Amino acid sequence: MPIALQRHPTSGGLLRSVGAVVKQGGLYGAPRLAPIAPHLLQQRSQHRSITIHTLDHERDIRERVVILGSGWAGYTLATQLDSKKYQPVIVSPRSYFVFTPLLASTSVGTLEFRTALEPIRSRRTKVSFFQGWGDDVNFKNKTVTIEEGVDDPRQGLALAGDRHEDETPLQRENEKKVEAKKGELLDLKYDKLIIAVGCYSQTFGTPGVREHALFLKDVGDARKIRNRLLTCFETASLPTTTDEMKKNLLNFAVVGGGPTGIEFSAELHDIIMEDLAKIYPGLIKFHKITVYDVAPKVLSMFDENLGKYAMDTFRREGIDIKTSHHVQGLRLGLPEEADKSKVRDDHGCWTLKLKEEGEVGVGMVVWSTGLMMNPFVEKALGKPQTLSKHGVRFETGRIQDATQKWVVKKDSKSGSIITNEQLRVVLETSEKEVSASRAILEDVFAVGDCAVLEGTMYPATAQVASQKAGWLAKRLNKGDIDNSAFHWKNMGVMAYVGNWNAILQGGKGGNVSGRAAWFIWRGAYLTKAVSWRNKILIPVYWFVNWVFGRDISRF
Amino acid sequence: MPIALQRHPTSGGLLRSVGAVVKQGGLYGAPRLAPIAPHLLQQRSQHRSITIHTLDHERDIRERVVILGSGWAGYTLATQLDSKKYQPVIVSPRSYFVFTPLLASTSVGTLEFRTALEPIRSRRTKVSFFQGWGDDVNFKNKTVTIEEGVDDPRQGLALAGDRHEDETPLQRENEKKVEAKKGELLDLKYDKLIIAVGCYSQTFGTPGVREHALFLKDVGDARKIRNRLLTCFETASLPTTTDEMKKNLLNFAVVGGGPTGIEFSAELHDIIMEDLAKIYPGLIKFHKITVYDVAPKVLSMFDENLGKYAMDTFRREGIDIKTSHHVQGLRLGLPEEADKSKVRDDHGCWTLKLKEEGEVGVGMVVWSTGLMMNPFVEKALGKPQTLSKHGVRFETGRIQDATQKWVVKKDSKSGSIITNEQLRVVLETSEKEVSASRAILEDVFAVGDCAVLEGTMYPATAQVASQKAGWLAKRLNKGDIDNSAFHWKNMGVMAYVGNWNAILQGGKGGNVSGRAAWFIWRGAYLTKAVSWRNKILIPVYWFVNWVFGRDISRF
């Protein structure tokens, strides 16, 4: 089966006519270690006979599995696929996988940033990679359109809105033509497509949150938090900073009482008490950590006794949990004061507005609540398109009209892609006058936070994503997917609650809390850490930071 | 002797009248570990009785030594001063000391960035710290003016020009008033002042270099280089990148054949051959490393046989050394081509213009040549000022006229501060009609790259800077400076030349090259690494990156 990489059709063939190079880098060719002489380079650059066919030949008879996304679902699947049968190709705007449970630790320096990362390209894995954004998909031609994103300044950061939201559809169409000409947009053929694009961060349209809050979804966010936290302390230590400003700067708000928000608060408490208290002893009395949540309780996925243990631990640690609180906005500057005549200290802080409390001066707001559906799912998968007769299973018998338009079925509430129990994408038609109103794409799968298995309520967690991906890789490797169905095995939940304590709830009951749970927590993540590199570095950092304290250099 | 921190006088006392807080953070106070209740915080913020006098009392009878700079000179001095006799206060725009010999290793990921850093504030050292820029100095009142720089986006990056160069002196004066009001400008009293501000990077006015070249002076530079290098490879691996563009993107130019440029080229060679060759095997044939230098030879501080060894090693490694070459400019975009009708690949690169070769497409230019005098030395120390009778030794006997104006004596060629053999700053007067034309400030010292000992030609190296600082700390601790004179002991020079080889030239002869020198090179820097934390982390990273390869995640 010919597999092709090609320029995006909107380039009108212009570039092909001047000799567009379609060589993909020869990822599996033999490394050539000795540098070659300039005159040879010269010859080589004029030698452009490597065509799509040569490239396809290199790939042999393997099926190409294009995976959109490099998170828990995409990365797990890519690394577990049998590379003798499949050619896994990850398309992702970031060049690595993030081991998210350790992200909170990296945001305060308990661990170094890279210990939570695995590069997609590595000597260890046989995964091809294009750094870019999935921009469109054509189920009939079996192609995805990729917008190149190697130098994108947004990489490494949480996203809270579509990157093209400022453009009208027409503007975007024109821009796409320009991008295609420049080689920034390209089409990639797939044999199997895995949609694992994940979700964005949901700000519920709260004014100022997208601009001023910090998130904790990616490693760039962790770096921003670490720098901001230390900047707050350093600014507060300036002799010209007033006590009021110190209180504002060292008031840290966490919005969202899920595991991420709770673990971040716990880590924040740890660095402040274990390290900053020794380095800035005069400032500790000004600090405050508050977790806000709209719900009446936090950590709702845990049993009541574990939730109570977490709350008690937080109370002892001086962390305030404010449930049933509503954030109304976040802006630069100080809260409004009655005495307008007062000269104001200009050591920058933010003001958080709460329905219940009014305005509060804060040094940092970490936003860890809510998922927003990935715009790719909304836009690319929301467009009605016709289907080929092959590779589609119509759920009623009649052969379809070739002009009939189909869309991906979505969950009405979350907007997630609906899949069947083989994790295949389900399509539906808006045209009422047909007998088949539902179809299954044989070669298109959706896993991770952007997908939901029809009729289930599995949570949007790393555990579900990686189980789905592991299951799918196994089925594809064995070739027995049609007789199988995915079922999630609840392996339980854990959360670090600070001061070397954790809570742990087994999948089938069995609760542990305190120091013992903390041991299991660390042990579990050390065992799960993907590479041996990180299995070595993680305990080294735990040790070094325990003995010598966390590093507080900012750069 | 009362020691005071005060608002800068240009604030006109306005802020003092509304209760400006002059508390410095209580760096030596007892840590208060338990968080306190909000109502207590409220009380505290209204309780502002801690005044300068309380603060001074806390500091006891120690002399305050204000140290401008946290490099090899400033940091060494601060950490070696006897904290029973002196209160060391570092003022620096960055929050850490950089162990510069390891910077090239961090720029390619052989070591992680933070292994080359030591935070100024730490549990280990008793050093006070203000993050900011020395802006002015008044020898008569013994104060330095500090411009606060906690959140300065330039921190961590090499500087190639004055941060206020776009302002006229009048504009700057007005801005200073605003900054003083906001608390961004403050005066700090000193008993002893150590000027160790170092140098900036010299671009010789070459067009585009300041904007587009990368430097290697600070850890932020190293991070930029690491990201850029990996971006070049990732861009080159895109299927839409033409072979010509691959050649441009993977053409790396290093300008400057001193130890920094040479070691960086060697590290660059290593990551490309040891790691990137395995990860991007199809791209290796396109890469090229070239070192340009205006001088007829590189590594001129080494003996001829070691220089030849380095050149031979580089030739084997495929690194081109182009001596007697002149860089004329650097700009975004591709070199001019004869065939203008050709459609151009838009995967961004730069064009380096050379007098000898014309235009060359490059993916990255690392600029490691030349020192520019720190603008603080030019501006703050270039202003004529009157002196007090105390703490000044006039070199001829007559008592001075109080209105007589003095300036710091500078080296006519480099603009460095001239010091005597006690490293004290030498002043001279421009007024001819006086008998004393030269004076020594008893309490003002200059060390590091910004200073030169009168009559010597000591090189501007970390070795000289740290020896001067160590000597000065010892003399001040013992109180015997007036009977002493600094002499540099040449401990030799080392350079890593790639592929696990180094060259090493002892201070008193004794040359070593090859693998043995590499062993000594690594051993020496491991021994010299400041903290135990880094003494542990550095070999761990050497091991992990040797076994598993360097990390290529970008964020």
Side-chain angles (χ1 to χ4, degrees), chain A residues 464-538:
Chain A
V464 172
S466 66
Q467 276 188 28
K468 277 187 178 176
W471 178 88
L472 186 55
K474 215 169 181 177
R475 296 284 78 76
L476 293 177
N477 290 344
K478 287 204 177 176
D480 63 355
I481 191 161
D482 288 324
N483 310 315
S484 317
F486 173 79
H487 295 286
W488 176 50
K489 284 180 204 70
N490 185 354
M491 308 296 283
V493 266
M494 299 192 285
Y496 179 61
V497 294
N499 212 9
W500 303 37
N501 292 305
I503 53 175
L504 165 56
Q505 177 173 315
K508 297 168 185 170
N511 297 344
V512 192
S513 61
R515 196 59 48 94
W518 174 82
F519 254 105
I520 301 172
W521 184 90
R522 281 209 162 174
Y525 288 137
L526 187 55
T527 317
K528 277 195 195 167
V530 181
S531 61
W532 275 103
R533 177 196 181 82
N534 283 334
K535 280 187 207 292
I536 294 170
L537 287 174
I538 289 167

Side-chain angles (χ1 to χ4, degrees), chain B residues 269-453:
Chain B
H269 162 267
D270 285 1
I271 186 182
I272 292 176
M273 287 310 164
E274 293 171 7
D275 298 294
L276 301 176
K278 289 166 190 155
I279 291 164
Y280 303 93
L283 293 179
I284 287 311
K285 63 180 177 215
F286 296 104
H287 101 279
K288 183 93 207 76
I289 304 172
T290 312
V291 180
Y292 296 98
D293 204 306
V294 281
K297 65 183 275 201
V298 298
L299 291 177
S300 53
M301 62 291 292
F302 283 90
D303 285 352
E304 200 161 324
N305 60 335
L306 287 180
K308 191 176 170 310
Y309 175 85
M311 291 310 95
D312 290 346
T313 309
F314 270 32
R315 201 167 302 119
R316 273 199 305 279
E317 291 167 354
I319 300 174
D320 254 13
I321 305 279
K322 296 197 174 171
T323 51
S324 304
H325 273 63
H326 300 76
V327 174
Q328 294 183 318
L330 181 62
R331 62 171 176 78
L332 265 171
L334 284 160
E336 288 297 325
E337 268 186 310
D339 183 4
K340 302 259 183 202
S341 69
K342 226 167 157 183
V343 174
R344 310 301 291 275
D345 187 343
D346 198 48
H347 292 117
C349 72
W350 280 270
T351 290
L352 183 68
K353 195 176 168 195
L354 291 150
K355 192 176 157 197
E356 289 76 14
E357 297 184 349
E359 296 203 318
V360 185
V362 288
M364 172 168 78
V365 172
V366 174
W367 190 267
S368 65
T369 181
L371 295 178
M372 168 192 157
M373 192 35 60
N374 193 307
F376 175 81
V377 173
E378 254 181 82
K379 286 191 168 178
L381 302 183
K383 276 198 295 200
Q385 49 180 307
T386 58
L387 297 176
S388 137
K389 268 182 263 181
H390 308 291
V392 187
R393 203 164 64 224
F394 298 100
E395 297 229 321
T396 52
R398 198 168 80 87
I399 290 168
Q400 299 307 303
D401 176 2
T403 63
Q404 193 175 327
K405 295 280 182 77
W406 295 82
V407 291
V408 170
K409 191 172 177 189
K410 310 264 183 72
D411 181 68
S412 56
K413 199 165 153 249
S414 66
S416 309
I417 303 164
I418 299 274
T419 73
N420 72 359
E421 57 188 9
Q422 282 112 33
L423 310 183
R424 284 179 167 126
V425 169
V426 175
L427 301 178
E428 58 185 5
T429 186
S430 53
E431 293 164 40
K432 284 173 184 167
E433 308 301 309
V434 291
S435 57
S437 63
R438 184 182 159 98
I440 308 289
L441 286 168
E442 299 273 345
D443 294 324
V444 182
F445 303 84
V447 280
D449 290 357
C450 68
V452 59
L453 204 165

